[in-house]
Amino acid sequence: MNQHRQITYEQAGVSTSEGAHAVDAIKPLVAATYRDEVIGDLGGFGGLFSAAAFKGMEDPILVSGTDGVGTKLTLAQSLGIHDTVGIDLVAMCVNDIVVSGAEPLFFLDYVSVGKLEHDKMAQIVSGIAEGCKQAGCSLIGGEMAEHPGVMDPDDYDLSGFAVGVVDRPRMIGPECVMSGDVILGLASSGIHSNGFSLVRRAVLEPMIREDDLLEPLPELDGMSIGEALLMPTRIYVRSILSALAASLPLHAAAHITGGGITENLNRALPDGLNAEIDLGSWPNVPIIAYVATEAGLSEREMLKTFNCGIGMCLICPPDSVDDMKAHFEQAGEKVFLIGRVVAGDAGVKGEVVYRR
């Protein structure tokens, strides 16, 4: 060992000064998401959030969710567009916890980078902050980790963690679902954040020129492939919570992520009940149809890979359909009646059956 050699942290590839610049850059973005319950400011060892409001609940239940954005990040990195994937990150977490009826309270993020650049970090966090504002939760902390020699300098990865609360008597879920209930679908904004490994293999890798990603296509309603693929995941939190606050009879909900309707709606069904879905009762998203064609996917394979135009399924009584549709449309959602709940095999976890 050379006792006279000195290697600083900066020489090892980690810039603490750039980290400090990044923190300064994101502070106002983070502060803009704060709810009244947030205590203190960014920079402490832990995020503080008051639970005083829980005192009015009969039996407050904390609901948590964690997720990432996946390989959609590679497209954002190649196009140099970093201010939307943070919305995806928040959406993947908060859409999961709202299906129990829980209100997202706060969010934490973890951003790992090959080389920290404060302006790029500010763009990433601006998206996370925007997602938090859309969901009505606070960004109360996170971590920026620089990994020189482990990750490429331009590479980064995102992880997120959300916590929400619901009063146990007001929870929704499979135990509330009954035979004869109907299934409404809320339109997705695009591919959302699942299936991008297939997208990369079928669409991105065969491209000769990266400029092709930016060329508007008629089959995508004039959008470019890059624009359509990077469309952020829709956040359904406010429309669902307002429906519950209005005492609309929402029995259960399912966030349609990887596996499509096929492998997510059954998670909102109890044993002995199945879902019948009417194909053709809603339009597919152009970019999903485009990718399915490029990949040569069968309809069955497409349905269990992508959301196919439905980002959230809602289960409710049949006599509430008009009120539910009116509420969600007023909240800015596109709503479709896509199926019904029917009796299945006793003791068997619900299955999704497609009908024409």
Side-chain angles (χ1 to χ4, degrees):
M1 178 181 288
N2 186 346
Q3 300 294 327
H4 304 290
R5 186 183 181 195
Q6 183 183 40
I7 301 175
T8 66
Y9 207 13
E10 186 111 15
Q11 290 169 334
V14 176
S15 174
T16 54
S17 60
E18 191 68 11
H21 286 316
V23 171
D24 289 340
I26 67 175
K27 271 188 175 181
L29 302 171
V30 173
T33 71
Y34 285 173
R35 297 164 50 122
D36 292 340
E37 298 96 330
V38 175
I39 300 170
D41 201 356
L42 191 67
F45 286 101
L48 306 179
F49 194 93
S50 172
F54 300 178
K55 294 177 181 178
M57 295 185 178
E58 181 181 329
D59 185 6
I61 305 295
L62 293 178
V63 184
S64 61
T66 185
D67 213 328
V69 180
T71 54
K72 186 174 185 175
L73 292 176
T74 60
L75 177 62
Q77 291 160 12
S78 66
L79 292 178
I81 300 173
H82 311 294
D83 60 349
T84 60
V85 287
I87 301 174
D88 291 294
L89 180 66
V90 176
M92 296 304 290
C93 297
V94 297
N95 283 344
D96 274 355
I97 68 175
V98 78
V99 300
S100 63
E103 177 187 4
L105 299 174
F106 58 83
F107 191 85
L108 300 164
D109 64 66
Y110 177 83
V111 186
S112 55
V113 299
K115 180 175 176 58
L116 185 61
E117 299 175 16
H118 72 271
D119 55 342
K120 183 188 293 186
M121 184 62 64
Q123 292 176 56
I124 295 169
V125 175
S126 73
I128 298 173
E130 173 59 27
C132 286
K133 286 190 280 189
Q134 290 184 24
C137 64
S138 298
L139 178 58
I140 64 169
E143 170 69 6
M144 296 179 294
E146 198 168 13
H147 295 311
V150 177
M151 301 175 69
D152 290 337
D154 293 331
D155 195 16
Y156 61 84
D157 196 14
L158 307 179
S159 299
F161 181 83
V163 173
V165 67
V166 60
D167 201 355
R168 189 191 292 268
R170 299 179 64 84
M171 287 182 69
I172 60 174
E175 62 280 356
C176 302
V177 176
M178 298 179 288
S179 179
D181 280 352
V182 296
I183 303 166
L184 300 178
L186 303 184
S188 68
S189 55
I191 291 184
H192 286 184
S193 299
N194 299 101
F196 272 84
S197 293
L198 175 60
V199 170
R200 189 175 68 250
R201 181 75 178 272
V203 177
L204 302 182
E205 289 180 1
M207 283 188 173
I208 299 175
R209 299 180 307 119
E210 192 170 281
D211 288 348
D212 293 341
L213 281 170
L214 304 176
E215 183 180 340
L217 296 178
E219 56 265 52
L220 299 181
D221 295 334
M223 298 177 71
S224 69
I225 294 174
E227 184 182 6
L229 289 175
L230 283 181
M231 185 68 67
T233 305
R234 188 162 182 82
I235 293 176
Y236 303 97
V237 169
R238 290 186 185 271
S239 59
I240 291 177
L241 290 181
S242 62
L244 293 172
S247 298
L248 291 176
L250 178 57
H251 288 169
H255 183 202
I256 309 305
T257 55
I261 295 175
T262 305
E263 297 182 13
N264 285 287
L265 181 54
N266 62 344
R267 298 161 68 181
L269 299 170
D271 292 348
L273 292 181
N274 290 345
E276 287 185 348
I277 300 298
D278 298 322
L279 289 174
S281 58
W282 75 92
N284 198 352
V285 177
I287 186 61
I288 294 176
Y290 177 87
V291 171
T293 299
E294 292 297 307
L297 293 183
S298 66
E299 183 179 63
R300 180 178 178 181
E301 208 48 44
M302 180 178 67
L303 286 165
K304 71 176 188 178
T305 304
F306 298 112
N307 65 60
C308 294
I310 298 296
M312 184 73 71
C313 286
L314 308 174
I315 302 176
C316 62
D319 59 3
S320 68
V321 169
D322 290 344
D323 289 341
M324 293 284 284
K325 288 188 71 174
H327 169 85
F328 281 95
E329 286 171 354
Q330 189 173 8
E333 308 289 358
K334 294 180 181 178
V335 190
F336 306 96
L337 177 59
I338 66 172
R340 65 205 62 80
V341 177
V342 298
D345 294 331
V348 177
K349 182 67 178 173
E351 297 178 349
V352 177
V353 180
Y354 292 99
R355 297 167 56 89
R356 289 196 178 278

